[in-house]
């Protein structure tokens, strides 16, 4: 079965007004909201695909604890973070289509994604239950971190696998995890300065020699010549 | 022998020594990433057999190796190990850089943790382009190295003169 | 016995007694054994530092990062087709399998479905990547335990699989063949018959390996009971793939993951598990999975639908804003891509959930109290690829 949505999908024809619902994931979401109450700030269900829940930063450990012990999600998938600030250099290219370097506005509001978000950094983790073998038993928990206090509770006491993921998150974003047995470099050499996955960490090789965004591409066999200049086209075809 | 202090060794002696050296290379594989698999295919698979060129793979340690084939991405964290490996090899030693990552950084030319080319660390004799280069390309690179060795002058090495690429 | 032999024995005895005393004196502080970044047994540049008490490990530390190329940062500055090229090189033995979850995530965001023929061929190539990967694993397994011969068989038979992949995609590995909406090209003529012949070869190879390695009593003695991972611990660390199936957890994303872009639901196959959770179980499960993959490929080759190979996609691909996560059952385990898109030419952020990262994070826990030769056995049976750990 390649599309496992809620049980009511077969009954609801795809009409314009009624969107398909995902009852199974809705049930999981209801359980989480019932247990955490006000700590759940926002949520999002992508029908047949995933469940996102955004919690308060102080309820991070409690949320993971409830998901583990209350829902039985013992499988630790990953933990990471998203830096929502757009890169000041765009894609480091000079082209008519993507001119990030000249277009960056540092005062523009930061748009965040699924399940909302108020701050630049969001930490997220995905937990699942794989023993029940149904595709809807998983949840992505997100939490906003204030810019001046990048710390959040560590999940190592609940999921031992979080150890390495939190070390990588610290190293790449600079987020401190309270209660982690030892935050030290995982990937980078000890003398490395900076947090690479932050958007304001520049890729120096690209600043020195930007990738030419304007690429001459041959037309497909049978097609006329490419439409106009200054258009960034695919590498393939 | 006074031959070393004089300018050149006699041609027959040089060519004999060079022929002996180039057909008895002991190649150390410094396989880091994907190119290591193609290097393994060249060295260990019966189809692209490298031993027919006189090159034997798998020495027990770098101290017994003549040529090192560095294949795969070189990261800044790995560089001290490569430097140490190169210094452990006895002269005359050669370095083959296999794949675009070792040539110039390759597809990761803009990464923050990749060394853009192993020739920033060790002197390279033969560059083999490709991502990954086919095993035949590695064999071609070894043949080119053998041709270079054939044109060398041993006295230059023994005197410690800088080697000029022929 | 002559006098000299008795004297010799007494000498040896005295030396042995000295040795015992020396060993006890030295192990007060313990010795640190460094399986350095370059070592034939670590599948690449992984560093394991183990503190030993005699022959047993007291604690072990795993230092990855010697192959860290910064994938997640690099994907932010590339377009979607460029990321597809780059992402091949994470798990460099089964390369096509790395592209698939990323392409599926992008297709999810674009609300595009690949046509059925493309889905089937994608699945065939996906399973061939698995076969190519595990065939080499089985050969390398022998090398790490001291039996060098299986490696040559592995390379010989892997060449045939690579021939087939090359016939379709043009590249032995790193095919860069998957596109958002389908595949780059269709199959060449005669490919299906050739592939079936190659699958027969691979099944013979599996039988050979079974008698060479798994039937060998030394192999059994070295792997049975070594490195046991209880299912609960494995779940907490995020072990996936054959590692968790060898601990008795019956979970395979091809069957349980509801992946819309692959055709595993259309064929008849089974998932292999083993209750023991030791190194032998992990190796055995992978052997059975390879055989199962050959059967999947045979069935898919038989029932290949006709039709176009690519859906209608615009020439310049801009994926609408959103977040998607797709996980597939790659040869090493469960690999997933969390793609954050802002309606741009390239992803805004890609989180690559690689299987080996979680598989290797259990090693410090697993190596406690283990003997030194068993370190190699455990590393071999957990089966990681450095590109997958370090990304």
């Amino acid at each position: 079965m390649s599309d496992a949505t809620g049980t009511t999908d077969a009954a609801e024809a795809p009409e314009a007004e009624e969107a398909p619902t995902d009852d199974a994931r809705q049930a999981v979401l209801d359980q989480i909201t019932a247990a955490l109450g006000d700590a759940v700030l926002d949520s999002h269900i992508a029908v047949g695909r995933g469940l996102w829940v955004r919690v308060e930063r102080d309820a991070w450990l409690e949320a993971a604890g409830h998901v583990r012990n209350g829902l039985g999600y013992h499988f630790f998938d990953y933990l990471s973070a998203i830096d929502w600030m757009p890169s000041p250099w765009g894609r480091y290219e000079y082209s008519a289509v993507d001119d990030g370097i000249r277009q960056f506005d540092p005062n523009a509001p930061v748009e965040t994604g699924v399940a909302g978000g108020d701050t630049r950094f969001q930490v997220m983790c995905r937990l699942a239950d794989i023993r029940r073998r149904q595709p809807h038993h998983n949840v992505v928990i997100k939490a906003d971190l204030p810019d001046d206090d990048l710390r959040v509770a560590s999940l190592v006491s609940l999921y031992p696998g979080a150890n390495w993921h939190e070390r990588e998150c610290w190293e790449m974003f600079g987020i401190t995890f309270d209660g982690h047995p030892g935050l030290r470099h995982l990937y980078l050499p000890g003398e490395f300065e900076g947090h690479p996955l932050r958007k304001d960490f520049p890729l120096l090789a690209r600043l020195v020699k930007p990738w030419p965004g304007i690429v001459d591409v041959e037309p497909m066999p049978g097609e006329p010549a490419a439409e106009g200049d200054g258009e960034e086209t695919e590498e393939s075809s | 022998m006074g031959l070393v202090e004089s300018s050149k060794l006699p041609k027959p002696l040089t060519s004999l020594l060079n022929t002996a050296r180039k057909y008895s290379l002991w190649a150390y594989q410094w396989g880091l990433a994907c190119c290591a698999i193609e290097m393994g295919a060249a060295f260990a698979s019966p189809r692209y057999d490298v031993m027919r060129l006189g090159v034997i793979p798998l020495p027990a340690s770098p101290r017994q190796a003549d040529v090192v084939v560095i294949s795969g991405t070189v990261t800044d964290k790995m560089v001290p190990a490569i430097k140490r490996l190169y210094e452990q090899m006895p002269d005359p030693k050669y370095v083959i850089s296999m794949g675009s990552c070792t040539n110039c950084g390759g597809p990761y030319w803009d990464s923050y943790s990749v060394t853009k080319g192993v020739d920033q660390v060790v002197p390279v004799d033969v560059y083999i382009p490709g991502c990954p280069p086919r095993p035949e390309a590695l064999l071609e690179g070894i043949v080119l190295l053998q041709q270079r060795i054939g044109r060398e002058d041993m006295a230059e090495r023994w005197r410690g003169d800088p080697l000029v690429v022929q | 016995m002559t006098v000299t032999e008795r004297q010799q024995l007494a000498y040896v005895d005295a030396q042995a007694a000295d040795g015992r005393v020396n060993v006890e004196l030295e192990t007060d502080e313990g010795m640190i054994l460094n399986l350095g970044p370059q070592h034939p047994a670590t599948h690449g540049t992984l560093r394991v530092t183990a503190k030993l008490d005699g022959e047993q490990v007291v604690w072990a530390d795993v230092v990855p990062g010697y192959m860290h190329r910064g994938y997640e940062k690099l994907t932010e500055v590339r377009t979607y087709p460029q990321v597809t090229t780059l992402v091949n090189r994470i798990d460099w033995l089964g390369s096509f399998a790395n592209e698939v979850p990323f392409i599926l995530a992008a297709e999810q965001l674009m609300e595009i479905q690949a046509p059925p023929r493309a889905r089937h061929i994608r699945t065939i190539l996906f399973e061939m990547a698995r076969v190519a990967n595990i065939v080499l694993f089985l050969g390398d397994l022998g090398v790490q335990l001291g039996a060098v011969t299986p490696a040559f068989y592995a390379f010989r038979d892997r060449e045939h699989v690579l021939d087939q992949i090359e016939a379709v995609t043009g590249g032995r590995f790193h095919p860069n063949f998957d596109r958002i909406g389908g595949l780059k090209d269709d199959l060449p003529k005669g490919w299906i018959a050739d592939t079936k012949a190659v699958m027969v070869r691979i099944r013979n190879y599996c039988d050979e390996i079974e008698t060479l390695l798994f039937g060998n009593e030394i192999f059994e003695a070295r792997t049975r009971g070594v490195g046991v991972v209880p299912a609960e611990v494995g779940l907490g660390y995020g072990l996936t793939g054959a590692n968790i199936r060898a601990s008795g957890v019956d979970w395979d994303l091809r069957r349980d993951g509801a992946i819309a872009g692959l055709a595993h639901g259309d064929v008849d196959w089974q998932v292999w598990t083993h209750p023991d959770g030791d190194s032998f179980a992990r190796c055995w499960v992978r052997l059975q999975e390879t055989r199962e993959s050959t059967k999947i490929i045979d069935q898919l080759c038989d029932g290949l639908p006709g039709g176009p190979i690519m859906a209608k996609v615009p020439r310049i691909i801009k994926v609408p804003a959103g977040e998607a996560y797709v996980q597939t059952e790659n040869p090493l385990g469960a690999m997933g891509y969390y793609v954050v898109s802002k309606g741009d030419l390239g992803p805004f952020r890609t989180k690559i959930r690689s299987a080996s990262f979680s598989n290797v994070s259990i090693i410090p826990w697993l190596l406690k109290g283990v003997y030194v030769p068993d370190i190699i056995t455990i590393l071999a049976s957990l089966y990681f690829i450095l590109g997958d750990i370090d990304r």
Side-chain angles (χ1 to χ4, degrees), chain B residues 38 75 77 108 111 113 134, chain C residues 64 66 68-69 71 166 172:
Chain B
E38 288 292 46
T75 53
K77 201 168 176 181
Y108 314 101
S111 170
S113 63
R134 289 187 63 105
Chain C
Y66 289 92
H68 179 65
R69 296 174 278 199
Y71 264 92
E166 190 186 8
R172 280 152 56 93

Side-chain angles (χ1 to χ4, degrees), chain B residues 95-112:
Chain B
V95 175
I96 295 181
S97 153
M98 178 182 176
S100 11
C101 290
T102 34
N103 290 346
C104 62
Y108 314 101
W109 64 279
D110 50 350
S111 170
Y112 50 84

Side-chain angles (χ1 to χ4, degrees), chain C residues 187-368:
Chain C
L187 299 175
K189 188 171 172 179
W191 190 84
I192 294 185
D194 284 342
T195 305
K196 290 191 157 173
V198 168
M199 288 302 121
V200 171
R201 245 185 219 270
I202 298 290
R203 280 195 277 271
N204 288 342
Y205 167 77
C206 288
D207 293 336
E208 273 179 352
I209 288 288
E210 196 160 20
T211 38
L212 263 183
L213 271 187
F214 288 79
N216 192 330
E217 57 188 4
I218 302 178
F219 180 83
E220 293 225 1
R222 281 199 69 176
T223 52
R224 284 222 189 253
V226 169
V228 177
V229 177
E232 196 55 44
V233 174
L235 291 179
Y237 276 96
L239 282 195
T240 48
N243 297 326
I244 200 74
R245 282 195 283 278
S247 296
V249 177
D250 186 7
W251 182 61
D252 191 319
L253 277 166
R254 293 175 282 177
R255 177 195 59 192
D256 306 320
I259 301 169
L262 291 175
H264 289 104
D266 300 341
V267 290
D268 188 27
W269 58 286
Q270 73 167 105
V271 175
W272 292 87
T273 61
H274 197 289
D276 284 346
D278 57 6
S279 303
F280 183 84
R282 292 189 277 271
C283 303
W284 185 86
V285 167
R286 287 200 181 93
L287 176 71
Q288 305 304 329
E289 279 181 4
T290 315
R291 288 198 175 117
E292 206 64 36
S293 287
T294 59
K295 292 186 199 137
I296 297 178
I297 295 175
D298 276 342
Q299 290 177 54
L300 285 171
C301 282
D302 282 333
L304 203 59
I309 200 74
M310 182 88 168
K312 211 77 182 85
V313 282
R315 192 180 165 105
I316 301 179
I317 293 193
K318 280 196 174 184
V319 172
E323 296 173 30
Y325 179 68
V326 173
Q327 221 179 12
T328 54
E329 186 75 26
N330 277 36
L332 293 173
M335 181 180 213
Y337 288 78
Y338 188 94
V339 178
V340 177
S341 164
K342 280 202 166 179
D344 219 351
L345 291 165
F348 180 75
R349 159 110 171 93
T350 319
K351 158 73 187 163
I352 306 174
R353 193 261 185 217
S354 52
S356 303
F357 186 68
S358 308
N359 288 350
V360 169
S361 66
I362 203 178
I363 288 182
W365 178 88
L366 200 50
L367 285 186
K368 289 205 176 79

Side-chain angles (χ1 to χ4, degrees), chain B residues 2-16:
Chain B
L3 290 168
V4 176
E5 281 79 29
S6 69
S7 52
K8 266 187 142 48
L9 282 178
K11 213 57 175 26
L13 188 59
T14 316
S15 66
L16 177 66

Side-chain angles (χ1 to χ4, degrees), chain A:
Chain A
M1 283 322 202
S2 58
D3 196 23
T5 56
T7 51
T8 59
D9 233 9
E12 292 177 6
E15 296 157 353
E17 316 89 46
E18 282 216 51
T21 60
D22 193 337
D23 282 351
R25 288 191 167 88
Q26 187 64 43
V28 173
L29 177 60
D30 291 337
Q31 265 190 300
I32 296 180
T33 347
L36 294 173
D38 283 337
V40 174
L41 297 174
D42 203 349
S43 68
H44 174 80
I45 294 184
V47 172
R49 291 170 186 178
L51 166 65
W52 280 262
V53 174
R54 184 162 70 96
V55 299
E56 274 177 15
R57 184 201 28 174
D58 299 322
W60 178 251
L61 190 58
E62 183 199 342
H66 171 75
V67 165
R68 182 175 199 273
N69 302 323
L71 287 173
Y73 288 9
H74 289 240
F75 180 75
F76 183 80
D77 208 356
Y78 61 84
L79 183 148
S80 185
I82 306 179
D83 180 355
W84 284 106
M85 181 175 93
S87 166
W89 303 279
R91 210 169 287 110
Y92 301 78
E93 289 165 3
Y94 291 101
S95 78
V97 175
D98 176 33
D99 204 359
I101 296 184
R102 284 186 272 267
Q103 278 174 3
F104 176 64
D105 176 12
N107 299 320
V110 171
E111 307 164 14
T112 51
V114 166
D118 305 312
T119 57
R120 179 179 159 193
F121 286 98
Q122 254 188 358
V123 64
M124 64 172 179
C125 82
R126 186 173 188 266
L127 309 165
D129 181 14
I130 59 178
R131 276 184 287 205
R132 271 181 279 183
R133 284 177 47 185
Q134 286 162 312
H136 64 265
H137 277 300
N138 50 65
V139 61
V140 176
I141 309 178
K142 285 186 174 184
D144 293 333
L145 305 178
D147 285 344
D148 48 0
D149 185 25
L150 281 179
R151 29 180 5 118
V152 73
S154 162
L155 294 182
V156 174
S157 52
L158 291 171
Y159 297 96
N163 194 325
W164 273 29
H165 288 90
E166 287 173 359
R167 269 172 72 187
E168 189 209 346
C169 205
W170 169 77
E171 162 178 70
M172 292 289 157
F173 288 97
I175 298 173
T176 317
F177 290 87
D178 299 325
H180 190 275
L183 276 181
R184 57 198 163 97
H185 278 296
L186 185 71
Y187 280 156
L188 302 171
E191 308 86 29
F192 198 93
E193 288 171 9
H195 297 284
L197 274 178
R198 289 191 178 184
K199 289 293 204 271
D200 45 6
F201 184 93
L203 284 176
L204 294 172
R206 281 211 181 223
L207 283 179
V208 166
K209 188 165 177 68
W211 184 263
I214 305 170
V215 175
D216 287 326
V217 169
E218 291 170 8
M220 300 274 282
E223 259 185 31
E227 321 85 47
D229 283 332
E231 209 171 18
E232 184 178 8
T233 48
E234 289 179 22
E235 294 283 301
S236 60
S237 74

